[in-house]
Amino acid sequence: AAGVIQSPRHLIKEKRETATLKCYPIPRHDTVYWYQQGPGQDPQFLISFYEKMQSDKGSIPDRFSAQQFSDYHSELNMSSLELGDSALYFCASSQRQGKRADTQYFGPGTRLTVL
Amino acid sequence: SQQGEEDPQALSIQEGENATMNCSYKTSINNLQWYRQNSGRGLVHLILIRSNEREKHSGRLRVTLDTSKKSSSLLITASRAADTASYFCATMNSGYSTLTFGKGTMLLVSP
């Protein structure tokens, strides 16, 4: 079965640079979520999109932005990178049936290292 | 603030033993889910228990939910070395839109 695809899998950037992470949800899934997991930490919800509109916002820094495109893939744009942005970034997708979206399916993550 | 707090933070057992992990949360939930993560890799969904359920089984996994105490437990029976991983509980908010993860329990199963 198709899973959530994230690219790139690994990314190394310098401080103050920008980075773009991509997420391709499972086919027919209409909702995408982004999570950030720092070293030794639990995943923290950043932002989500439903039918290309922002759905919920968590602890996403103002330096970050995201969007969902017409083909339902999503991109997380990160600017003015800081050392503390080094983390594993997960994308998850789900299919909302009405308002219910019980299970989120996670991608393998993108490991971002900021030097 | 953290929704789920897990206990213990780390657990070391021998193969064949049972492993029990606990999770507590603070607000009302629609469901609670358990995920597994191998050493900095992806999150694998293990099991979901709804707020109106008290116990659920899936293979060697048994999950309980006590909404009055706002707590859940995950039991892995007859553990195997391959069960070595971090286990996270996550609660789904009332809007079915976001998951809030707990700190996780690192389980080490020795052969």
Side-chain angles (χ1 to χ4, degrees), chain A residues 9-52:
Chain A
R9 294 294 308 277
H10 300 273
L11 189 58
I12 299 175
K13 290 285 185 178
E14 301 277 339
K15 277 196 310 184
R16 293 179 287 278
E17 285 190 324
T18 61
T20 298
L21 310 185
K22 296 184 179 182
C23 169
Y24 298 86
I26 292 171
R28 291 182 296 280
H29 279 194
D30 49 24
T31 307
V32 168
Y33 314 81
W34 286 96
Y35 293 83
Q36 176 192 56
Q37 185 180 28
Q41 302 295 314
D42 54 289
Q44 293 285 313
F45 171 71
L46 293 178
I47 196 167
S48 64
F49 292 87
Y50 168 61
E51 285 291 345
K52 292 150 280 184

Side-chain angles (χ1 to χ4, degrees), chain B:
Chain B
S1 63
Q2 295 304 318
Q3 173 75 315
E5 297 295 330
E6 294 185 55
D7 162 46
Q9 290 188 341
L11 182 61
S12 183
I13 60 174
Q14 298 290 122
E15 261 190 332
E17 293 181 337
N18 296 340
T20 299
M21 289 161 267
N22 303 297
C23 166
S24 62
Y25 57 92
K26 296 176 183 175
T27 63
S28 61
I29 61 171
N30 271 306
N31 62 60
L32 185 144
Q33 306 180 33
W34 285 89
Y35 285 82
R36 165 195 164 127
Q37 184 179 38
N38 284 70
S39 188
R41 293 192 163 188
L43 290 158
V44 177
H45 184 263
L46 295 177
I47 194 166
L48 178 154
I49 186 165
R50 301 187 193 285
S51 58
N52 60 352
E53 297 176 314
R54 292 296 167 258
E55 187 171 312
K56 204 160 183 180
H57 297 256
S58 176
R60 294 184 296 114
L61 305 179
R62 173 178 168 254
V63 171
T64 62
L65 179 64
D66 187 334
T67 52
S68 66
K69 295 180 180 178
K70 290 186 166 59
S71 66
S72 173
S73 68
L74 171 67
L75 168 68
I76 303 174
T77 60
S79 63
R80 306 166 182 167
D83 294 329
T84 294
S86 289
Y87 291 82
F88 293 91
C89 73
T91 52
M92 176 70 76
N93 67 336
S94 57
Y96 287 97
S97 58
T98 61
L99 281 175
T100 302
F101 284 83
K103 291 286 186 193
T105 293
M106 289 182 58
L107 173 66
L108 173 63
V109 182
S110 302

